[in-house]
Amino acid sequence: MDSQTSQSSQASQPPHTFQVDLRGLVDLLSHHLYSSPKVYLRELLQNAVDAITARRAEQSDAPARVRLYAEGGSLRVEDTGVGLTEADVHTLLATIGRSSKRADGLQEARSDFLGQFGIGLLACFVVAERIRVVSRSARTPDAVPVEWTASDDGSYTVRTLPDEARPEPGTTVQLTARAGAGEWLTGERVLALARDFGALLPYDVRVGEEAVTDLPAPWDRAYPSPAGRRVALARHCHDQFGFTPLDAIDLAVPVAGIRGVAYVLPSAVSPAQRAGHRVHLKGMLLTERGEQLLPDWAFFVRCVLDTDSLRPTASRESLYEDETLAAVREALGERIRSWLTGLAAGDPERLAAFLSVHHLGVKSLARHDTEMLRTMLPWLPFETTDGRLSLEEFAQRHPVVHFTRSVEEYRQVAPIASAQGVGVINGGYTYDSELIEALPSVRPGTVVAELDADTVTAHLDAVDPAEELALSGFLAAARARLDPLGCDVALRAFHPLSVPALHLDDRAARHEQARAEAEEQADDLWAGILGSLRGSAPRARLVLNHLNPLIRRISSLGDPELIGTATESLYGQALLMAQRPLRPADSALLNRAFIGLLEWATHSEDGHR
């Protein structure tokens, strides 16, 4: 049978149908597998690159070109790859899941392939209503061109063509846009997508006359100077992420086939914010949201890298979580850790600039890494009663490193402790208390102690016993008024004189207070249970400053009721000064004390008149 008779016979055959529900497949791809229709272009590029890689596995000097032409609502992609025979067409394009990776004779090139030809091509139905493939095999010397034409109704036809239809080995894929998807096949959009996906591909890829690939990668290029390299990488970062970085960190892990760069963010971000890293697989952009690429503590960088060892998920839009990815994550984290160590050793100005923005990330790392804590100790800033200092500087000044576990506790005691010469660190911010407690492990001999109410009170000067005895009636009235609130009253002399009263408690006292409140509101059963949990912890206390003129005037009052109202006012004012959250009972007390003082003032004024 001659060629024309063969073609006529094949053309008259009824159309074949895919071995899947194509409409259901397109819905699955567009709504569940792929995040955007734009991935159709990545699939086309992957098929072309895979075909070239397969041909070069057998013919190392084979041409390596990919050309894309977009016009009039259609897109044509030509490659010089291995091509397909008629049998290949039926096998690879008609059966979903059958991959060019498994084609005969190509097992040795398996690790160099990016995707699955069949499902990758059918994914183009997300934007196309018709796909035409013309291919000629490079593996069969006398192979003739074969045409595969498919429609989005699930039918396809296969026929052979004259030699002139495709004189050279390779494949041409032509898409015709489906209704409403024409914008995805415009020249401008195709060029933008091709450059986004394929900028690092190892072959000559062009859209019309416009080059797509941009090699070597920015981090692998030779630059006239380190400064020139920093400028170029900063420009690359701005193009990729939209910001100018504080610094760039090389991410070379040769054993894992990884090359890239991490860019340090110029402004602080929340540790909970998911990072978006750009990951290329064998030159092809795999994802812009490689969230699991780095350890959680490295939230202050954004990465661009190329790898040939990581596994993509089914959608090829994220990474498969396996032992290889875990090892790569650890290796990349080590590169960032080494960069920090290098700054500490040789570039303190850049380190200080970095820590002023990202100290939280470094603290997160240091609490799990003794070596990093030792390295960063002279640089990590903490809020202290001596100002903003590192733990090393603070420990050199104070024999005992006192700290509070909450910001509220620190605000209570900081002014008073500072006046008494007691140094205190605010450990209420994220990671701070853990790092403070770890200080003895890297600075042997350092004494670290949590500051509690007893410690503060012990550093305040006691009042002369005779004077305190003379004020026993005043103190009894004050204690009686605050006793229902679970608060004791103490009289001390301390600086600054302007502070009339200081409210002190600790976690144990607050826990006991919460238990007592719950017991009051519980039924008999729960009240009994909570009562059995009553602790022996000291209660909160209101420390009155005997040196303050207002306290002296209040202590000379003879009216117990007025003393109680004044004490409530001092208690409320001390809570507000410490910026403590007010309980309903505290709010009611403040309102009652305010009204009581107004009544006393107006009553006194009326009596005076």
Side-chain angles (χ1 to χ4, degrees), residues 75-98:
L75 172 66
R76 187 172 80 256
V77 181
E78 300 177 353
D79 68 64
T80 58
V82 70
L84 300 170
T85 64
E86 184 177 1
D88 291 334
V89 168
H90 284 289
T91 302
L92 301 177
L93 299 182
T95 304
I96 301 306
R98 195 69 63 87

Side-chain angles (χ1 to χ4, degrees), residues 416 420 460 492-497 499-502 543-545 547:
I416 309 304
Q420 311 307 312
L460 304 181
R492 294 290 188 274
F494 56 87
H495 293 273
L497 301 181
V499 177
L502 176 65
V543 183
L544 304 178
N545 188 358
L547 301 180

Side-chain angles (χ1 to χ4, degrees), residues 514-533:
R515 186 211 58 78
E517 291 176 358
E519 182 180 357
E520 290 179 3
Q521 300 172 10
D523 56 28
D524 291 343
L525 173 61
W526 280 108
I529 295 174
L530 291 170
S532 67
L533 298 176

